[in-house]
Amino acid sequence: METVAVMDALAALAAASRRLRTRVPDDAFLRSWQTPSTVWVASCDAAGVDVLLDAFDACLSHCDAAARLIVFPPQAEAVAAAAARRGIGAHVQGVDDAPALRKAALLAADALVVCGGNGAVTLDALALGTPVTGTDGDGDARAGGDAVLLWPAHERAAELIAGTVERLRADASLRALLRARGNARLSRLAVTAGGSA
């Protein structure tokens, strides 16, 4: 699929979720993503695939049977294949990690779920005001400090992540608090980086 088509689909998803107002052409693929359902964006490493899918499956089973999961590299293909084997493949879309795609996906998302993987996406999410949750094993996700909600990687991690995403979706004051903390964290990181230049 062309990058432009995926970007348009993500913009349509964002528009449908009322996070970004965008007009998109009438296209069957785009219509398939236009939903008010829960939208997760995720980044994980090989060790995080099962935790991510267990958490997303819990969301499908207990919170939102129409939820969507958009996955960035490095494990996008592995997550999509594992989701298909679990029978939830129709809810999962792997996407390229091009900057414009990343931004569109993060704007469309209710939350970024990090279970290892590309830690730079955590800082991008904070910059865009997208809440971040996941497991605490990823040092790059921990760089978000108190602006991210991380759980120990243990047998209940999936349940905790699913519940956190649902709470983030429903709790505007929590999202606002995390957005403020994210802005403060990014400001501190910018000052630190500026001082070391």
Side-chain angles (χ1 to χ4, degrees), residues 68-158:
R68 302 287 186 175
L69 171 61
I70 302 166
V71 186
F72 294 120
Q75 294 297 319
E77 290 180 15
V79 171
R85 287 190 299 274
R86 290 177 177 224
I88 59 172
H91 296 272
V92 178
Q93 171 85 36
V95 297
D96 190 310
D97 198 24
L101 283 174
R102 183 189 296 184
K103 181 177 181 180
L106 288 169
L107 287 170
D110 289 296
L112 167 67
V113 178
V114 179
C115 298
N118 184 351
V121 75
T122 299
L123 297 178
D124 288 347
L126 294 179
L128 293 169
T130 303
V132 180
T133 188
T135 56
D136 67 0
D138 182 39
D140 291 314
R142 285 194 309 260
D146 66 352
V148 299
L149 301 174
L150 298 178
W151 300 102
H154 56 63
E155 68 278 352
R156 290 198 57 227

